[in-house]
Amino acid sequence: NNNLVVAIDGYSSCGKSTIAKALAKKLDFVYIDTGAMYRAVTLYFLRNNIDLTDVSAVEQALNDISISLRTQNGLAQVFLNGEDVSDEIRQMPVASNVSKVAAIKAVRQAMVRQQQLMGQSANIIMDGRDIGTTVFPDAQVKLFMTADPMIRAQRRHKELVAQNPDITINEVYENLALRDHDDTTREESPLVQAPDAIVLDNSYLTPKEQLDFALSKITPFI
Ligand code: C5P
C-alpha cells in the first residue's frame, strides 16, 4: 500500500474537519470524516430504539446499516442506507448519544474495518479520535488537534444556532466536555495522542495558518 495517509485526531470541535477538508481539496486527496460514520450509526440506533446493552441487537443493526461518504464542492455528505443524513447527524439528539454508541466494541470493529478499506485505494485525509493510534498506526503524517474548550464551544455554538436558535453556549460546552470525557476514558481505543503525532493547538490560529502548518508537514511525503 503506497497511498499516503494523513491522520487527524483530537478533541471534539477542534476544527479537525475544517482543516481536513481544506487539505483534501488542496492536495486532491479523499476526505474521510469518521465522526460522521459514528454519528450515522447513532442516528440509526436512535430511530430504531436499539438497546445499546443488547449485543445481538447491536450486531444485527450493524449488519443492516450501510454508510457512505461523498464530498462535493467542499460539502461533505453522509448517507445512511442511501438517505442523506448530513444535517440530522449534527443535531443534539445524535451529539448527546454518539459517544455512548462509539464506545461499543462491535460498533468500533465495524467502523474501523470500513475505514481501513477506504484507505486502500486512494490518498486520504481521515479525521477522528483513533486514526493515528488504531485505524492507521502507520500513517505517514499524524496531527493531534486541540484548542481551548471555551473557544471550541463558541465555534460550535455559532454553527448550531443557525438550525436551533434556542441552544445555549453552556449546553454546547457541556456536550463537548462530556464527549471528551467519554472519548478519553472509554476502554475501546480511547482518544489519546499517538507518540509520533504532531500537536496543533489552533485556539489562536487562522484557518490559513493552520493549513500552511499542516501542508508543511505533509508535502515532504508527496
Ligand atoms: O468528530 P465528531 O465530533 O463528529 O465525532 C462524534 C463522536 O464520534 C465523537 O465524540 C466520538 O465519540 C466518536 N468518534 C470516535 N472515533 C472516531 C471518530 C468519532 O469514537 N474515529
Side-chain angles (χ1 to χ4, degrees):
N1 182 353
N2 294 318
N3 298 321
L4 199 55
V5 175
V6 177
I8 304 180
D9 290 304
Y11 298 100
S12 294
S13 290
C14 275
K16 297 187 295 293
S17 71
T18 304
I19 192 170
K21 267 185 267 187
L23 285 169
K25 191 169 173 212
K26 183 107 189 167
L27 299 167
D28 198 23
F29 282 22
V30 174
Y31 167 52
I32 299 165
D33 176 354
T34 65
M37 297 171 70
Y38 289 98
R39 286 171 182 267
V41 173
T42 303
L43 180 60
Y44 183 92
F45 282 17
L46 286 173
R47 284 178 175 177
N48 294 280
N49 290 311
I50 305 296
D51 174 358
L52 301 186
T53 61
D54 181 343
V55 178
S56 68
V58 165
E59 281 171 355
Q60 183 56 50
L62 287 168
N63 278 329
D64 295 338
I65 294 176
S66 140
I67 296 167
S68 55
L69 305 177
R70 185 168 74 193
T71 305
Q72 237 173 10
N73 306 323
L75 200 74
Q77 291 173 302
V78 190
F79 297 85
L80 171 62
N81 293 337
E83 175 191 353
D84 184 350
V85 293
S86 314
D87 291 329
E88 200 171 349
I89 59 166
R90 302 292 159 202
Q91 303 306 315
M92 277 318 246
V94 169
S96 311
N97 288 282
V98 61
S99 290
K100 304 280 174 234
V101 172
I104 301 170
K105 188 172 185 172
V107 171
R108 300 208 71 79
Q109 284 173 339
M111 293 303 109
V112 169
R113 203 178 310 125
Q114 188 178 347
Q115 289 153 13
Q116 287 170 337
L117 287 174
M118 290 166 145
Q120 268 174 12
S121 48
N123 292 325
I124 58 164
I125 312 273
M126 185 175 278
D127 76 5
R129 304 292 186 290
D130 61 339
I131 313 307
T133 50
T134 302
V135 184
F136 288 106
D138 298 326
Q140 290 90 338
V141 181
K142 299 180 187 178
L143 296 177
F144 190 85
M145 293 186 60
T146 175
D148 178 89
M150 192 39 97
I151 292 177
R152 293 195 266 140
Q154 283 163 346
R155 287 175 183 162
R156 181 49 61 97
H157 178 257
K158 224 162 142 184
E159 286 172 14
L160 289 171
V161 86
Q163 305 236 15
N164 178 0
D166 297 332
I167 197 164
T168 64
I169 290 202
N170 204 41
E171 222 177 311
V172 177
Y173 183 94
E174 290 302 325
N175 173 256
L176 296 185
L178 196 63
R179 280 203 285 142
D180 286 346
H181 175 265
D182 288 350
D183 294 345
T184 49
T185 56
R186 72 181 172 218
E187 212 160 303
E188 289 295 323
S189 47
L191 168 62
V192 56
Q193 186 188 324
D196 53 346
I198 303 157
V199 176
L200 173 52
D201 181 334
N202 72 3
S203 305
Y204 303 104
L205 295 179
T206 65
K208 170 143 193 344
E209 286 168 330
Q210 296 173 52
L211 186 63
D212 289 345
F213 176 84
L215 283 171
S216 74
K217 303 298 176 193
I218 299 168
T219 42
F221 293 93
I222 296 176

